[in-house]
Amino acid sequence: MIEDRPPYPHARASVAGTVAANAPGLARIRTVLVRPSLPANIGAAARALMTMGLTRVVLVAPARFPDAEAMAVASGAAAVLDAARVVATLDEALAGTELSIGLSARPRRFAGRTATLTDAVREAVNTAAARADAAAAGAEVALVFGTETSGLSNDELSRCTLAATIPANAEYPSLNLAAAVQVVAWEIRRAAGMRGDDEPASRRGFAAATHDEVEALYAHAQRTLGALEFLDARRPRRLFQRLRRLFGRTRLEREEVNILRGILARVDERIGASGAARIAVPPPEAKR
């Protein structure tokens, strides 16, 4: 709760009322603003979200928040800012999510899966609604927006399940942060109103791995591959960018993550059983 806030002469919409009046799946969608620099943009984004029935905001290392200017610009959506969470890192903001969509003007620089905005929001709405129907705790969706000046970095995009771009004028694709949030929020609302059972059959009935579980898999793989001396200690990130691209092309299921970690655990056991002996593994270039 933000304390010592000056009064503003506008009505305050209720977050609880907004959630109750909209599709239950929308309550599973959080909007993540990474390192926003201007309080006015935070307030304008909150207002844009509230108009479309989205009420959950996570701020990653904002330059100034709470701030009176953000509250003033939010107008009747100040309740969204009252409930906003502030975290230090993107990983904290994505904790517990099953699907995260990074919005970027440069998806070609993203190492993983890309989708059109229409397809991305349809997947978001289907995922959120399916999990709401199943009452699966903690399985949520995140819409991730970067800082006003440079957007999301490649590293930040690599932590998202997929990347999407707002189709705009190719000669001038730059959108204000709040404007971008408004466009995506409107697409989410539109998709929620026309959602059908169009989720791929391969996804239905299987629990997707959460962001936390996938990141734990990467951390485990890095430890194991390091012990095997498979990683180039000078440039370990290069291989992991490729691994993220490999697994990012499909949303890993929880069972698939468990299988992969089981394989890694078995390798760990064999390494331990062999003592200090080194296991010779050919580098990727030598494989056929």
Side-chain angles (χ1 to χ4, degrees), residues 3-266:
E3 304 294 339
D4 301 322
R5 181 173 55 252
Y8 297 106
H10 48 61
R12 292 170 61 89
S14 162
V15 168
T18 298
V19 170
N22 288 280
L26 295 187
R28 294 245 181 215
I29 300 176
R30 69 183 74 164
T31 300
V32 178
L33 306 182
V34 180
R35 293 176 284 109
S37 58
L38 301 176
N41 281 336
I42 298 175
R47 186 171 184 175
L49 291 167
M50 190 68 137
T51 61
M52 295 297 133
L54 297 170
T55 60
R56 299 180 59 202
V57 173
V58 183
L59 305 174
V60 179
R64 288 161 47 199
F65 188 83
D67 189 272
E69 184 180 8
M71 282 293 173
V73 174
S75 189
V80 172
L81 298 185
D82 286 342
R85 285 198 305 125
V86 178
V87 298
T89 67
L90 179 57
D91 281 338
E92 291 178 78
L94 296 181
T97 58
E98 181 178 296
L99 172 68
S100 54
I101 301 171
L103 279 298
S104 173
R106 304 176 303 278
R108 62 189 180 277
R109 298 177 63 188
F110 176 58
R113 185 161 64 99
T114 62
T116 66
L117 181 60
T118 299
D119 288 344
V121 298
R122 184 182 299 116
E123 186 170 348
V125 168
N126 284 336
T127 298
R131 296 299 163 240
D133 294 343
E140 299 184 351
V141 174
L143 309 172
V144 186
F145 298 83
T147 185
E148 296 94 329
T149 55
S150 57
L152 293 169
S153 68
N154 287 341
D155 182 65
E156 289 162 346
L157 272 175
S158 75
R159 281 169 159 69
C160 298
T161 312
L162 61 88
T165 300
I166 296 173
N169 178 5
E171 295 183 2
Y172 189 68
S174 178
L175 277 173
N176 172 271
L177 174 60
V181 170
Q182 183 75 82
V183 170
V184 175
W186 177 80
E187 287 279 7
I188 288 285
R189 186 170 186 83
R190 187 170 72 115
M194 55 191 292
R195 189 183 80 87
D197 188 21
D198 55 358
E199 189 176 15
S202 61
R203 299 289 327 155
R204 292 198 292 269
F206 298 95
T210 66
H211 171 80
D212 316 57
E213 290 165 340
V214 174
E215 289 300 318
L217 168 65
Y218 290 142
H220 191 169
Q222 186 163 358
R223 291 194 301 271
T224 302
L225 295 178
L228 286 171
E229 297 185 348
F230 185 82
L231 280 179
D232 183 342
R234 297 165 299 177
R235 293 177 294 183
R237 292 173 62 87
R238 175 171 294 184
L239 175 61
F240 271 81
Q241 286 173 350
R242 292 183 177 275
L243 286 177
R244 285 181 182 275
R245 182 173 62 190
L246 171 66
F247 292 122
R249 283 197 283 266
T250 180
R251 287 169 58 190
L252 285 168
E253 297 167 5
R254 180 169 295 153
E255 185 62 25
E256 292 168 341
V257 168
N258 290 339
I259 291 170
L260 291 171
R261 293 204 66 180
I263 293 171
L264 292 172
R266 182 59 174 160

